[in-house]
Amino acid sequence: MALLTLDFYSRELKMSTLLTMVTPDSTHIGEMPVSERKCLYLLHGLSDDATSFLRLSRVELFSRDAGVTVIMPSVGRSMYCDDVNGQNYFSFVANELPEYLNLLIGVPRKRELNNIAGISMGGYGAARIALTYPERYKKVGLFSGFLSPVAILPRLTEEQRNEFPFMMVKKDELETTSLEPMNLLDAEKHKDLEFTVRCGEQDDLYLMSVGFCKKAKHLGLNVESVFEPGSHEWRLWDKYIEDFILAMK
């Protein structure tokens, strides 16, 4: 497989940023160009970056076996939100990046070829992006996802409130804010999305995944959920990523 590393200037971030990508090399590409291949935007967690999946999972092997292009951006500790010190990380991943990669190397824009997934904070980003733009994605993978920030707002320390001021929500907006993925779930708007939700039962974020699945299934949405023994760890995530990518074949 070909490993691409791009360091480019982003208009939404107002700075240069790092992106890694795994895509078929000359021995695996056959006669199918990148523009016709399935694509996965794979979003990292709070303490990771664009290289984490390459170092801590077997994503390159999974990409090769499925013939899938995997795109892994860096977003720091932004929670995939806009207005983070003047930088728009949500808009960068949701809008600027697909547009730029399509123009640059032909990464497809068709819904049936595009998928998005993430671990932990990346699950939060993947959920909000897919629920905001359901017409752009076929499958959504939420792995140990931070899927209900509203639920933990009362327990945040002063230090956490200072680090993530862009996540703070007024009490009268808790049930409507778009920062809460469950507020975005809609039976009609999201009827064509395919959700995969997986989490370890000893994970601190487990109940968030359970709550998200419960509401999504109540709305009649297409949700596959798997909960198993385990905590917030790469040993589980490596398996989740493998299953998700191979299911894209």
Side-chain angles (χ1 to χ4, degrees):
M1 299 298 285
L3 173 61
L4 308 182
T5 301
L6 299 178
D7 192 336
F8 63 99
Y9 185 87
S10 162
R11 66 171 182 267
E12 293 290 354
L13 305 184
K14 304 178 182 70
M15 60 176 255
S16 292
T17 187
L18 182 69
L19 169 84
T20 58
M21 181 186 309
V22 179
T23 196
D25 55 27
S26 62
T27 61
H28 294 94
I29 199 165
E31 297 182 357
M32 183 184 293
V34 170
S35 60
E36 296 177 10
R37 289 181 177 273
K38 292 181 180 179
C39 170
L40 171 62
Y41 290 86
L42 189 55
L43 310 185
H44 69 74
L46 185 65
S47 59
D48 300 320
D49 62 18
T51 70
S52 297
F53 292 105
L54 296 171
R55 293 183 288 108
L56 298 169
S57 80
R58 296 171 292 162
V59 67
E60 184 173 355
L61 176 63
F62 309 148
S63 172
R64 185 196 68 186
D65 290 347
V68 169
T69 294
V70 182
I71 297 164
M72 298 159 280
S74 277
V75 304
R77 296 171 67 83
S78 68
M79 300 299 296
Y80 296 88
C81 287
D82 280 347
D83 299 319
V84 181
N85 297 322
Q87 298 172 300
N88 298 322
Y89 286 91
F90 179 89
S91 297
F92 166 65
V93 176
N95 299 317
E96 180 182 2
L97 192 55
E99 174 188 303
Y100 173 60
L101 293 178
N102 174 258
L103 293 172
L104 184 67
I105 56 174
V107 171
R109 300 297 304 272
K110 295 179 181 178
R111 174 189 171 274
E112 60 269 22
L113 296 178
N114 273 280
N115 308 271
I116 190 168
I119 61 170
S120 194
M121 179 187 80
Y124 175 67
R128 287 190 62 230
I129 291 170
L131 293 172
T132 303
Y133 301 109
E135 71 281 2
R136 300 181 184 178
Y137 304 97
K138 182 178 181 181
K139 293 179 179 291
V140 185
L142 310 177
F143 308 140
S144 303
F146 181 62
L147 299 179
S148 184
V150 164
I152 69 166
L153 285 179
R155 304 196 303 273
L156 292 182
T157 66
E158 190 64 25
E159 180 181 356
Q160 290 170 326
R161 289 175 178 272
N162 290 334
E163 183 178 3
F164 305 108
F166 47 88
M167 295 292 294
M168 297 302 103
V169 180
K170 297 177 181 178
K171 288 184 179 180
D172 59 354
E173 298 174 348
L174 294 179
E175 296 182 2
T176 59
T177 176
S178 62
L179 291 175
E180 175 75 3
M182 282 190 273
N183 290 345
L184 300 176
L185 285 167
D186 183 274
E188 180 62 27
K189 186 176 180 180
H190 302 125
K191 63 182 181 180
D192 295 324
L193 282 176
E194 300 175 21
F195 296 91
T196 298
V197 181
R198 300 184 68 169
C199 189
E201 294 169 336
Q202 286 72 49
D203 194 314
D204 289 342
L205 304 184
Y206 167 68
L207 291 180
M208 293 187 183
S209 291
V210 171
F212 183 92
C213 287
K214 183 177 180 180
K215 181 169 183 180
K217 290 178 179 179
H218 177 73
L219 293 173
L221 299 178
N222 184 351
V223 182
E224 175 193 6
S225 59
V226 178
F227 303 118
E228 58 195 303
S231 58
H232 208 67
E233 57 180 311
W234 278 97
R235 291 176 182 83
L236 288 183
W237 300 334
D238 188 50
K239 179 60 176 174
Y240 298 166
I241 294 166
E242 177 182 22
D243 291 346
F244 191 79
I245 290 179
L246 294 183
M248 291 168 52
K249 290 181 67 174

